Amino acid sequence: MSADAIIDVRDLHKSYGNLEVLKGISLTARTHDVISLIGASGSGKSTFLRCLNLLEIPTRGEVFVHGKRMPLSDPDPSRGERRVTSERELREIRTHLGMVFQQFNLWSHMTVLQNVIEAPIRVRGMARAEAIERAKDLLDRVGLSAKVDNYPSQLSGGQQQRVAIARTLALDPEIILFDEPTSALDPEMVGEVLAVMRDLASEGRTMMVVTHEMGFAREVSTEVVFLEKGKVGERGAPEQIFGDPQTAACKQFLNKVL
Ligand code: ADP
Ligand code: MG
């Protein structure tokens, strides 16, 4: 494994009962990588991201974060490994990995500012004044300075998703996992969210993005991974995947979405 890998995934499998959803996926994200995951609905993209974030526990395979093997289904006691049991440990691992969901998942009873300061104060033990200062900076960066005291229901979908991104940035994760961040948005709001994501990529943020926005994937990605029925069907540089796909499945998928 290369030293600069943030996440290294080896032969990841996930089944729900008899349904094998992930059938052996390997993937490495290094600092500054922007990896786009594309593929048909049901191919396992969300499940894959959820396994990285330990929202799901993989059935088999290994995930290393900075070379540290995550305690998954089969910890090896001879290597000093044990299961993650406490919520505290799970939270600690997740602070390396920020996640942005299709449905924003903001806390509706909290203002925009409160949404952004909550985790730094509660998870990181950050002083309130510092958390507020940082949150205001982040909200400014996503263009929402004027909305700090509003509630999520008073914002458009695009604005809510930008708050969700600011909230994720507030924990300063080393890698941000995006699961179709623009799929729930009205078309006129897709651009403003993609613009924020482009900024993050150009700052050198490490990102993994499940997306149907092929223009974004083509321009911003360092690598595109096409998932097909729980396996990597094809992978490569964006110009390779979009310009000269090699597999029939990938060609067919791109014909449908482009
Ligand atoms: P994608 O994000 O690529 O659309 P998903 O990862 O959401 O695909 O789903 C892949 C497959 O796993 C689908 O067949 C879905 O029905 C199934 N699946 C996802 N989550 C669960 C679950 N919690 N229980 C059972 N099946 C699931
Ligand atoms: Mg999905």
Side-chain angles (χ1 to χ4, degrees):
M1 179 181 45
S2 84
D4 61 348
I6 297 178
I7 297 193
D8 199 32
V9 183
R10 297 191 198 161
D11 198 29
L12 195 77
H13 291 250
K14 175 69 183 176
S15 297
Y16 294 106
N18 291 330
L19 180 67
E20 194 179 26
V21 175
L22 301 180
K23 301 170 185 164
I25 295 182
S26 297
L27 189 156
T28 303
R30 297 181 179 77
T31 306
H32 308 318
D33 279 353
V34 178
I35 300 176
S36 290
L37 297 171
I38 63 172
S41 176
S43 58
K45 305 179 299 293
S46 295
T47 303
F48 180 71
L49 288 192
R50 292 170 62 81
C51 282
L52 298 189
N53 208 15
L54 302 182
L55 289 171
E56 301 285 352
I57 301 299
T59 316
R60 185 147 65 86
E62 297 178 303
V63 177
F64 295 84
V65 177
H66 284 303
K68 186 179 161 203
R69 189 167 179 265
M70 290 298 101
L72 303 178
S73 51
D74 57 344
D76 179 352
S78 71
R79 292 158 74 173
E81 294 164 1
R82 62 206 163 81
R83 261 172 220 277
V84 170
T85 47
S86 76
E87 269 302 310
R88 194 172 191 293
E89 282 173 301
L90 274 176
R91 273 208 307 264
E92 207 284 316
I93 289 166
R94 289 194 189 121
T95 61
H96 293 286
L97 311 165
M99 185 127 172
V100 175
F101 301 89
Q102 185 175 334
Q103 296 295 344
F104 330 136
N105 298 356
L106 296 177
W107 292 296
S108 58
H109 62 291
M110 292 185 186
T111 66
V112 164
L113 187 71
Q114 286 166 341
N115 265 278
V116 180
I117 64 175
E118 174 71 8
I121 292 174
R122 286 258 298 254
V123 180
R124 283 282 166 80
M126 191 181 285
R128 190 177 170 83
E130 186 190 350
I132 290 175
E133 191 180 332
R134 279 177 43 98
K136 285 183 171 168
D137 275 352
L138 290 169
L139 288 164
D140 187 36
R141 276 184 40 197
V142 300
L144 291 173
S145 289
K147 301 288 181 188
V148 287
D149 294 324
N150 285 90
Y151 285 86
S153 62
Q154 300 170 315
L155 304 182
S156 71
Q159 289 170 334
Q160 289 185 57
Q161 190 60 297
R162 286 185 281 143
V163 175
I165 292 172
R167 181 178 63 173
T168 299
L169 290 171
L171 283 175
D172 206 18
E174 290 169 87
I175 181 163
I176 307 178
L177 312 174
F178 292 89
D179 192 358
E180 297 199 33
T182 62
S183 294
L185 300 177
D186 291 335
E188 72 270 23
M189 291 166 190
V190 169
E192 67 197 55
V193 171
L194 292 180
V196 168
M197 293 170 65
R198 277 199 178 88
D199 279 351
L200 295 177
S202 61
E203 267 172 21
R205 286 264 172 191
T206 310
M207 302 163 40
M208 227 182 264
V209 187
V210 172
T211 187
H212 292 292
E213 293 294 330
M214 295 300 146
F216 174 85
R218 186 171 192 149
E219 283 167 44
V220 177
S221 309
T222 52
E223 182 184 18
V224 178
V225 176
F226 168 66
L227 286 192
E228 196 211 354
K229 298 185 181 131
K231 288 186 179 162
V232 175
E234 191 166 339
R235 71 199 321 160
E239 46 283 14
Q240 164 70 42
I241 297 294
F242 292 109
D244 188 20
Q246 300 295 302
T247 63
C250 188
K251 281 181 202 167
Q252 199 179 31
F253 173 75
L254 291 173
N255 277 337
K256 274 192 203 151
V257 296
L258 286 177

